[in-house]
Amino acid sequence: MLALLSDEQQMLKEVAAQLAGSAGPANPGDLRTLDRDAAWRSLAQSGLLALRTRDDGRPAGSGVEVAVVAEALGAGLVPVPYLGSAVLATELLALAGAHDEAEALAEGTARTGVLLDRDLSALAVLPGDQTVYGWDVDGAADALALTAVPGGHQVVRVSLATGFTAANGADLTRTLLRSDGPIDAAALTPVGGPLSDEHLRRWEALALTALSADTVGVMRSAVARAVAYTKERVQYGVLIGSFQAVQHMCAEAYVQAEAAASAVNYAAWAVDELDPDEALLAARTAKVQCATVAREVTETVMQVFGGIGQTYEHIAHVHTRRALTDRQVLGDEGVHLLRIADVRLTGE
Amino acid sequence: MDYRDTAEEAEFRASLREWLSTTIPAGWDKIEDEDEAVRLRKEWHRTLYRAGYMGLSWPEEYGGRGLSPVYDGILNEECGNLNAPPLPSVGYIGRAIFMYAGEEQKRRFLPPLLSGEVSWCQGFSEPEAGSDLASLRTTARLDDDHYVVNGQKMWTSGGQYADWCLLLARTDPDAPKHKGISAFLVSMTEPGVTCRPIVIASGEAETAEVFWDDVRIPVDQRLGAPGEGWRIAMTTVTYERGPADIGFIANYRRTLRKVEALAAERGLLDLPETRKALARAYVRGEVLRLNCMEQLSMRVSGRPPGPEGSVAKLLWADAEQSLQHLAMDILGADEMTGVADGWLSSYFTSRPVSVYGGSAQIQKNIIARMLDMPR
Ligand SMILES: Cc1cc2nc3c(=O)[nH]c(=O)nc-3n(C[C@H](O)[C@H](O)[C@H](O)COP(=O)(O)OP(=O)(O)OC[C@H]3O[C@@H](n4cnc5c(N)ncnc54)[C@H](O)[C@@H]3O)c2cc1C
């Protein structure tokens, strides 16, 4: 047992952090001017969009590499659809054996997102007349959903060009589109072969882990920003970081973020190393931990910043918005606690 | 990164499991009498020792097996999985002796500590020196080839059963408070040592106060250099904080299984709220376990435990105390009417987890310092 990043993974972490550092906003206003396409191109050039394409049937990068990159991009609040296109959509395509389509995404020329149910808790199963959301679809022409076929599911592509309108999404760093349906069978283009339940469990394990890694990044960088502020801001003639109440707020947020990171690291390793049920249990555990603490940690950060931290012009709420949205996507802690209980208590 | 056992680790785990499944004394957790329970714990210690399971990560020359600390983690895990009695915690006293004792002292003290022949307690805290441990007042005055110790220690857990004590006393009253303290290895049977149990809120004599009146300690039982006591104490508490070192994770898993069984017995497993609460308790235990595995890995790769231990200590206290809250919610009035025997005691036993080994507030202070926040 050695629960530490390898040297190569450590290097990847540094590369990803460097990339993310220059591609994310320092202030919310930057979101209007950041060159998102340039950021996407550099991710593609570094090969970071290709981690879940297959090489001889094996993913080019493991769950650990995906989590390392997702965490870095979360930490930088980088407004690119890494999770939507390079992780969630690419993994679906690869599992379905649609390798050419996966490669196209990896090159960064095409982008594809995913369609989620109205409560964001699962991939949409179509056709149907329900409301669905295209999540993390910046620059994407289409998004993936599922359709039921005998013995499993089939991945289908849905064009975002018609029937979708911009939703008033909380997360300022990701694009959210909404369709109030109906989306009928004619609008669905099958991609690749059918997916078994096992495929979908594998996919969910990776998806939950990558989302959780994003949340860890968002939390860690938020805490770091707050701690840095306590070393600058003076009240009563002293730095606010010298007040024990402020120290303890930061320490609590730090502990929560670090605990979440420990759960995510294991889940990331489990994605490709354990059987799907175990990998999914690890991923749900990480998602529960992240979803449980994301709100409190980012709220604490806003509190440490005082009045300025409550304003629209300040970066704190961008962390909060991304963390709160991550929390909902593919199910909040309530959803996953019940699934964990099924495993623990009923042996399902 | 690999969370799996290596081939050697897997082999060790398999033979350990087999050994445990035939060796764990039946009904050990039903024993009510405290003296009887202490006897059983000592016997279990010797059993583990004879089978070679004590001091897995200790150097062979002191009776250990010279393995990586990962093996201590495996021992902890399997003891928890198979519901073995609590593991004896020799780690942190042993660590202090390893790191600071002279050769002679190591040979004298380590083997019997490991074998369970001699049990130890930790005499640090005093009535007036708790969080501010460095303000301790117990004195050790040099008198030729002896130190003469006077003072009162409080919260010396296990003092009433221990044979020896790792004692902190002030040897230089004129030095700055952190610098004037030395550490000693003292027999609890010396004339002048008086021990009185302290009954904690659970009703159990979990800890003790110890009076030291003109107790004479030979100079060669000083641990480390004069004035090095503070550093030794900090090493000890840092190791004491790592839940992996003290078998906490095993205990937590055992208690969680009991709470799950409790909910099942009471027909509560159909309630979504109960299911969620039990799953949350599982998640807390997992998060703590995984955090400890990372810390263990860092130690294996050569980094000594540092303030990250404070993270684990806070997670541990929260997990333990939340689990007792959950049991209380499941039991309702039965915990208050004496129907559900033992649970109220477990509840009160969980409370000082956020006090001993440095209170939760002190751990947060340590983390703030680690974050380099202004002082
Ligand atoms: C069951 C039990 C077993 C124990 N076993 C041992 C043992 O074996 N050996 C041993 O030496 N000791 C032992 N202890 C002692 C334990 O380490 C101390 O109780 C602990 O360090 C706190 O000290 P105190 O009780 O004097 O509380 P105090 O230090 O008086 O603290 C009182 C309150 O003030 C807070 N506080 C104090 N200082 C600060 C600060 N700087 N910032 C913020 N808050 C602060 C504390 O968090 C606490 O809430 C044990 C204690 C208990 C309860």
Side-chain angles (χ1 to χ4, degrees):
Chain A
M1 185 282 290
L2 195 68
L4 296 176
L5 293 182
S6 68
D7 290 348
E8 293 86 47
Q9 288 162 345
Q10 195 62 43
M11 258 162 59
L12 177 69
K13 191 183 167 113
E14 281 153 30
V15 168
Q18 215 161 27
L19 250 159
S22 54
N27 296 296
D30 297 342
L31 287 166
R32 285 191 299 273
T33 54
L34 277 174
D35 189 346
R36 297 172 191 222
D37 288 339
W40 195 247
R41 273 195 306 277
S42 53
L43 283 170
Q45 276 155 14
S46 321
L48 300 186
L49 303 182
L51 292 178
R52 293 312 282 187
T53 58
R54 300 302 198 261
D55 237 357
D56 274 345
R58 285 198 55 83
S62 73
V64 177
E65 274 91 32
V66 169
V68 162
V69 176
E71 185 188 329
L73 295 173
L77 301 170
V78 182
V80 296
Y82 179 74
L83 292 183
S85 187
V87 183
L88 273 53
T90 301
E91 181 73 0
L92 266 182
L93 293 170
L95 286 168
H99 296 296
D100 291 345
E101 287 84 347
E103 287 295 339
L105 296 188
E107 279 156 25
T109 40
R111 298 186 199 180
T112 293
V114 287
L115 292 186
L116 302 177
D117 278 343
R118 190 205 160 104
D119 67 357
L120 304 181
S121 74
L123 277 175
V125 180
L126 297 169
D129 54 9
Q130 74 270 36
T131 294
V132 297
Y133 287 99
W135 177 74
D136 207 18
V137 291
D138 185 42
D142 47 34
L144 303 178
L146 298 176
T147 193
V149 294
H153 288 88
Q154 167 74 47
V155 179
V156 292
R157 196 188 282 285
V158 179
S159 166
L160 296 169
T162 52
F164 283 85
T165 53
N168 188 15
D171 184 351
L172 304 179
T173 62
R174 296 188 199 280
T175 302
L176 187 70
L177 298 180
R178 173 182 172 124
S179 157
D180 288 320
I183 297 178
D184 52 32
L188 311 179
T189 312
V191 206
L195 294 182
S196 64
D197 283 352
E198 180 176 329
H199 281 134
L200 287 175
R201 285 203 298 277
R202 279 242 173 265
W203 179 82
E204 192 179 2
L206 177 73
L208 291 174
T209 301
L211 268 158
S212 301
D214 186 85
T215 314
V216 166
V218 173
M219 290 194 291
R220 277 180 159 165
S221 64
V223 172
R225 282 194 155 119
V227 169
Y229 185 65
T230 71
K231 301 176 188 177
E232 296 163 7
R233 174 73 177 166
V234 172
Q235 285 294 280
Y236 298 96
V238 296
L239 293 168
I240 60 165
S242 64
F243 298 126
Q244 195 176 58
V246 173
Q247 292 180 351
H248 284 197
M249 279 198 285
C250 291
E252 279 161 25
Y254 176 84
V255 169
Q256 297 296 9
E258 292 310 298
S262 296
V264 170
N265 290 338
Y266 175 66
W269 171 81
V271 163
D272 299 301
E273 296 291 335
L274 298 183
D275 74 50
D277 288 331
E278 281 182 88
L280 189 48
L281 179 61
R284 293 191 199 286
T285 299
K287 186 67 160 57
V288 165
Q289 184 63 24
C290 288
T292 302
V293 301
R295 182 163 59 193
E296 201 174 313
V297 168
T298 52
E299 285 174 356
T300 298
V301 167
M302 291 177 73
Q303 181 72 18
V304 169
F305 277 109
I308 198 72
Q310 316 304 316
T311 63
Y312 199 85
E313 290 313 311
H314 195 272
I315 194 72
H317 72 104
V318 183
H319 288 268
T320 309
R321 286 163 176 272
R322 182 151 165 161
L324 291 180
T325 307
D326 282 355
R327 174 172 179 262
Q328 289 297 329
V329 172
L330 297 179
D332 66 7
E333 69 265 35
V335 167
H336 293 289
L337 283 169
L338 288 174
R339 296 292 85 77
I340 290 172
D342 292 343
V343 174
R344 289 281 302 172
L345 305 173
T346 342
E348 274 169 24
Chain B
M1 180 182 280
D2 194 349
Y3 287 79
R4 242 189 304 258
D5 290 342
T6 61
E8 296 82 51
E9 287 163 3
E11 196 180 309
F12 172 84
R13 189 189 293 273
S15 70
L16 168 63
R17 282 189 143 244
E18 197 183 312
W19 180 81
L20 282 172
S21 65
T22 57
T23 317
I24 293 170
W28 69 267
D29 50 353
K30 306 277 175 329
I31 295 172
E32 307 248 318
D33 180 61
E34 179 61 15
D35 290 329
E36 183 62 24
V38 168
R39 236 191 324 278
L40 183 131
R41 277 204 293 275
K42 284 200 165 190
E43 189 47 46
W44 180 240
H45 187 156
R46 291 197 193 103
T47 307
L48 284 163
Y49 174 74
R50 279 194 299 268
Y53 288 119
M54 290 303 300
L56 294 171
S57 62
W58 289 26
E60 283 169 90
E61 51 189 313
Y62 307 118
R65 301 256 301 260
L67 298 167
S68 121
V70 170
Y71 289 83
D72 292 328
I74 295 175
L75 179 66
N76 262 296
E77 254 174 47
E78 292 307 323
C79 285
N81 290 339
L82 297 181
N83 198 29
L87 281 168
S89 49
V90 297
Y92 55 92
I93 300 268
R95 196 67 52 178
I97 297 180
F98 269 165
M99 291 178 65
Y100 298 99
E103 203 46 43
E104 189 81 358
Q105 289 175 326
K106 288 186 193 167
R107 291 196 193 288
R108 176 171 173 202
F109 292 109
L110 288 175
L113 163 63
L114 206 58
S115 70
E117 260 162 77
V118 169
S119 64
W120 286 76
C121 58
Q122 180 182 305
F124 292 2
S125 306
E126 297 180 1
E128 303 298 326
S131 301
D132 182 13
L133 183 60
S135 69
L136 62 86
R137 295 179 187 171
T138 296
T139 55
R141 184 175 45 79
L142 191 58
D143 175 21
D144 195 19
D145 58 351
H146 278 73
Y147 283 94
V148 181
V149 175
N150 278 288
Q152 183 189 348
K153 290 289 169 181
M154 200 161 169
W155 314 114
T156 310
S157 297
Q160 62 274 52
Y161 307 108
D163 307 301
W164 283 72
C165 180
L166 173 59
L167 179 75
L168 291 185
R170 190 165 296 286
T171 42
D172 184 351
D174 302 323
K177 68 179 187 175
H178 293 86
K179 302 245 166 80
I181 300 169
S182 301
F184 298 91
L185 307 165
V186 202
S187 166
M188 292 295 280
T189 57
E190 291 300 346
V193 180
T194 317
C195 185
R196 270 201 230 135
I198 299 176
V199 178
I200 68 160
S202 66
E204 281 163 36
E206 279 262 329
T207 182
E209 57 185 341
V210 182
F211 299 87
W212 300 79
D213 296 311
D214 287 328
V215 179
R216 294 179 66 79
I217 311 177
V219 168
D220 67 5
Q221 285 172 216
R222 192 188 63 233
L223 180 64
E228 208 174 13
W230 181 252
R231 217 146 65 95
I232 295 173
M234 289 306 101
T235 304
T236 314
V237 296
T238 309
Y239 275 91
E240 184 185 2
R241 262 171 220 146
D245 289 308
I246 51 171
F248 164 72
I249 290 166
N251 289 334
Y252 184 85
R253 290 181 152 193
R254 189 164 43 232
T255 312
L256 175 57
R257 277 198 299 273
K258 281 211 277 197
V259 176
E260 286 171 349
L262 211 55
E265 273 162 33
R266 288 169 182 248
L268 301 174
L269 289 190
D270 292 334
L271 301 178
E273 282 322 306
T274 306
R275 296 178 77 81
K276 280 190 200 174
L278 288 167
R280 201 180 275 292
Y282 164 79
V283 169
R284 282 200 191 91
E286 279 295 285
V287 167
L288 179 68
R289 177 177 76 87
L290 296 167
N291 185 270
C292 290
M293 281 175 92
E294 289 180 348
Q295 288 190 35
L296 204 59
S297 301
M298 287 198 259
R299 197 189 298 175
V300 171
S301 41
R303 291 198 12 203
E308 316 81 67
S310 297
V311 171
K313 176 72 204 288
L314 286 164
L315 294 174
W316 165 26
D318 179 52
E320 178 74 18
Q321 294 176 347
S322 301
L323 186 56
Q324 288 302 326
H325 285 168
L326 176 54
M328 189 181 275
D329 291 344
I330 288 171
L331 290 163
D334 286 356
E335 190 165 326
M336 302 306 139
T337 54
V339 172
D341 206 27
W343 284 99
L344 189 66
S345 170
S346 301
Y347 162 71
F348 278 118
T349 305
S350 77
R351 299 315 306 167
V353 179
S354 54
V355 175
Y356 54 63
S359 73
Q361 289 68 41
I362 296 304
Q363 306 303 340
K364 289 176 198 171
N365 292 349
I366 293 173
I367 291 170
R369 212 160 304 153
M370 183 181 79
L371 295 173
D372 208 15
M373 293 181 74
R375 305 197 68 172

